[in-house]
Amino acid sequence: MTSVRAPRQQPNPVDDDGEDARILQSLGYTQQLHRRMGAFGNFSASLSVISIMSGTLLLFGFGLNSGGPAVITWGWLAIGPLVLCLAAALAEITSRYPTSGGLYYMARQLGGERWSWYTGWLNLLGLLGGIAAQDYGIATFTAAWMNLQFDYTPTPESLLVLYAIILALHAVLNLFGTRLMNILTSVSAWWHLAGAVVIIGSLAFVPSDHQSAGFVFTEFTNNTGWGAPVYVILLGMLLPVFALAGYDTSAHLSEETNHASVAAARGIFRSVAVSWIAGGILLTTLLFAIQSYTTTLDSPTGVPVAQILLDALGMAAAKALLLVIIVAQFLCGYTVTASASRMIYAFARDGALPGSARWKKVSPRTAIPANAVWLAVAVAFVLALPSLYSSTAFSAVTAISAVGFTSAYAIPVLLRLLHRDRFTPGPWNLGRWSRPIGWVAVLWAAAVTVLFLLPQSYPITADTFNYTPVAVVVAFLIAAVWRRFGRDSYHVPRSGSPTEDKQFEGII
C-alpha cells in the first residue's frame, strides 16, 4: 500500500492556540499579521496613544487660555466619565468583532456598506490627525528643551523640519515588526506611569510655594476673544476630549493580539480609566505648581509646561523632566503611527482607498504593512503645513483628530442601539447597562463633534481661523468621490450568523 505524504507545512507565525485565527476567519479574514502581542501589550498600546504626558500636556496652554484652571480641573472631571461610557460601548462591540479594521468593520456588520465607508474615512481622519498633533507636539516640546539647553529660538519653519524628522523616525521604527512593538508599548506604559509619578512628586514636594485650592478650582481665564463664558468653557473641553482619545488602538491591533476578543476590549476600557485618573492627578499638580500665570503663558520656550517646571524646580530639573516627557511623547507617537498604519492596511485590504493594492501589501519578513506606514506619516506631514502661517494650527489639528475619533467611535455604538437584532454580544459585554451607557455616549459624542467645528478664537482672521471644518469637508469629498468611482472594489466580509455565536455573560 502506497502511503501518501501530507504537504509540508510552513511554520505558523501565529503565536496562539488557533482560536483567534478561527474567530478571525469567521469574520471573513485569514491571519496575515503576526499575533505576538499579549493582553498587557494591547492595553499598553492604547495607554500609550492616550498618553497622559502627551495629550494632557500638549494642550495645557490652550486650556490655560480657554477657561483657565477651573475649566481644566472641572472639565477633566466631567468629561472622563462620558469618555468611559463611549469607550465601554465601543469595547463591547470590539469584543464581538476583533479585527484590524475596527470601527468601519463594525459599522458594516451593524449598519451596512454606506455607514461603513464613511465611518472608515472618519476614523482614518482621526488617526492621521492624531499623528500630526502628537508629533508636532513632540517637536514643540523638543524645541522647548533646546531653548533651555542651547538658547534656541524656534520658528515655524524649524519646527516643521523637526516635525518631519520625528515623523521619519516613527516610520522607520514601525518597520521592524510586532515583536519590537510589543516591547516598546510595554516600556511606554511603565515609562508613562513612572514618569508621571516622578513629575507629580517633584512638583508636589520641591517648590516652596504653591497655588491655593481656590485658584485651581475656581480661577477662570478667557484669552480667546469671545465674550460668552459658557462658550469659552465649552471650548476648553477640547483638552480632555483630545487627551482621552485614541483608545481604538486596541481594536486596530487585535489581529496581532492573543485572545483578542477579551484582551482588546479590556485594553480599550482600562486604558481610558487609568489615563483619566493619572491624567487628572498630573494636571492638578501642574496647576498647583504654577508660580506666575503670566510668565507661564508667555514663556520664551513656547511651552507653558516647560515654564512651570523651570519656575518650580530650577533649570537642571526642568531639563531632565522635559526629557522624560519627550520620551513618553515619542513612544506615544510611535504607537499612533502603528495604529494608523493598521487602519490603512485594513481599509485598503477591503478596497476602500485609492491605490488599495499598494497600501495593503504586507512585508513577508516582518508582516508589517510598510507602504501603509509611509502613507500615514506623509499625510500627517501635509496636515501640519498650515502651521507655517497659522498660530492656531496646532489646536486645529487636535480638533480634527478629536472630531474624527469621536464621531467614528459613536457611529458603531449608534448602529448597535438602532439594530439590536444584528448584534450578539461577545465575551466582554455590558449586559443590561449596554443601552443606557450607549445612548449617553452617542448623545455626548454628537454634541462634542459639533462643538469642535466652531471657531476657537475671536476675531476670526486668516491667522486664527479654525480649519477643522475644511479638513472634514475635504475628507468627506474625497470619500464621496472615491465611493462613486471605487465602491465596486469595496467588499467588507460579512461575519457569521449571530445565531451561531455563543452567548456570554458580561464581564468588565
Side-chain angles (χ1 to χ4, degrees):
M1 183 176 180
T2 303
S3 62
V4 179
R5 299 183 67 180
R8 185 176 181 179
Q9 300 294 321
Q10 296 297 319
N12 186 0
V14 183
D15 295 340
D16 74 332
D17 58 6
E19 179 65 12
D20 286 302
R22 186 195 67 77
I23 292 173
L24 186 62
Q25 186 173 31
S26 75
L27 299 178
Y29 299 109
T30 57
Q31 187 74 45
Q32 288 186 290
L33 306 179
H34 290 177
R35 202 177 285 272
R36 292 170 175 165
M37 184 171 288
F40 183 76
N42 185 281
F43 157 78
S44 299
S46 279
L47 190 74
S48 297
V49 171
I50 296 173
S51 180
I52 59 173
M53 285 201 280
S54 188
T56 53
L57 304 187
L58 296 180
L59 283 182
F60 189 75
F62 175 86
L64 291 178
N65 283 302
S66 305
V71 173
I72 291 176
T73 303
W74 293 109
W76 188 268
L77 291 173
I79 294 299
L82 296 173
V83 176
L84 275 171
C85 285
L86 185 54
L90 190 64
E92 180 178 52
I93 305 174
T94 299
S95 180
R96 174 65 180 82
Y97 305 119
T99 71
S100 293
L103 310 178
Y104 82 83
Y105 182 90
M106 302 171 193
R108 174 65 181 92
Q109 308 310 315
L110 300 172
E113 184 183 285
R114 186 184 298 271
W115 282 104
S116 173
W117 183 274
Y118 289 105
T119 300
W121 280 90
L122 281 170
N123 190 203
L124 190 56
L125 181 67
L127 286 163
L128 296 174
I131 296 176
Q134 296 289 355
D135 283 15
Y136 195 83
I138 298 169
T140 62
F141 269 71
T142 304
W145 181 86
M146 293 169 67
N147 176 269
L148 297 180
Q149 181 69 30
F150 307 113
D151 199 27
Y152 160 79
T153 302
T155 65
E157 293 77 13
S158 63
L159 278 176
L160 192 67
V161 171
L162 187 56
Y163 168 66
I165 294 172
I166 293 167
L167 283 174
L169 288 173
H170 282 150
V172 171
L173 283 174
N174 264 279
L175 302 180
F176 283 97
T178 307
R179 200 177 297 278
L180 176 63
M181 183 191 305
N182 197 32
I183 294 171
L184 289 181
T185 54
S186 298
V187 169
S188 178
W190 291 112
W191 186 278
H192 273 82
L193 296 176
V197 169
V198 171
I199 293 171
I200 290 168
S202 299
L203 292 176
F205 298 109
V206 174
S208 56
D209 295 316
H210 289 89
Q211 295 289 345
S212 66
F215 171 84
V216 172
F217 291 98
T218 65
E219 180 71 21
F220 179 81
T221 302
N222 176 16
N223 293 327
T224 66
W226 294 103
V230 173
Y231 184 66
V232 176
I233 291 171
L234 293 175
L235 287 178
M237 296 302 104
L238 177 59
L239 189 160
V241 173
F242 171 73
L244 294 174
Y247 44 85
D248 61 315
T249 297
S250 288
H252 294 304
L253 296 178
S254 59
E255 290 184 33
E256 296 161 82
T257 302
N258 287 303
H259 311 297
S261 293
V262 173
R266 285 178 174 167
I268 289 173
F269 185 81
R270 291 176 176 175
S271 62
V272 174
V274 171
S275 297
W276 179 48
I277 295 170
I281 297 171
L282 178 61
L283 282 174
T284 305
T285 305
L286 283 167
L287 291 172
F288 273 112
I290 292 175
Q291 303 297 301
S292 168
Y293 203 91
T294 302
T295 303
T296 298
L297 287 177
D298 298 330
S299 174
T301 67
V303 175
V305 172
Q307 193 63 44
I308 293 173
L309 296 175
L310 181 62
D311 293 344
L313 304 174
M315 180 65 76
K319 289 190 291 186
L321 292 181
L322 266 180
L323 286 177
V324 171
I325 293 171
I326 291 167
V327 171
Q329 292 174 343
F330 186 85
L331 292 170
C332 168
Y334 162 80
T335 314
V336 177
T337 304
S339 181
S341 67
R342 299 318 189 269
M343 168 62 196
I344 292 171
Y345 154 76
F347 217 26
R349 178 177 61 181
D350 291 327
L353 297 176
S356 286
R358 175 182 297 273
W359 312 125
K360 72 179 181 181
K361 286 184 178 179
V362 175
S363 167
R365 184 175 62 86
T366 62
I368 292 295
N371 291 339
V373 171
W374 288 111
L375 178 62
V377 297
V379 175
F381 179 78
V382 172
L383 283 177
L385 288 177
S387 65
L388 291 173
Y389 62 84
S390 173
S391 61
T392 59
F394 179 73
S395 58
V397 171
T398 59
I400 290 170
S401 179
V403 167
F405 275 135
T406 306
S407 55
Y409 293 167
I411 290 173
V413 178
L414 174 63
L415 294 173
R416 183 253 184 276
L417 294 170
L418 296 178
H419 304 293
R420 299 175 63 181
D421 59 320
R422 300 181 186 178
F423 182 76
T424 301
W428 194 103
N429 64 80
L430 300 171
R432 61 190 179 90
W433 292 101
S434 179
R435 289 185 66 78
I437 288 176
W439 280 115
V440 169
V442 167
L443 294 174
W444 170 76
V448 164
T449 298
V450 173
L451 174 65
F452 294 150
L453 297 175
L454 301 177
Q456 298 173 351
S457 300
Y458 186 86
I460 302 173
T461 65
D463 189 54
T464 63
F465 180 72
N466 178 11
Y467 68 93
T468 303
V470 176
V472 173
V473 169
V474 169
F476 265 99
L477 284 176
I478 295 174
V481 171
W482 182 241
R483 177 175 166 79
R484 181 175 180 85
F485 296 102
R487 64 181 175 183
D488 290 342
S489 65
Y490 184 56
H491 298 289
V492 180
R494 293 302 305 271
S495 65
S497 170
T499 58
E500 298 174 359
D501 296 323
K502 184 179 179 180
Q503 300 282 347
F504 297 88
E505 295 183 1
I507 53 173
I508 295 181

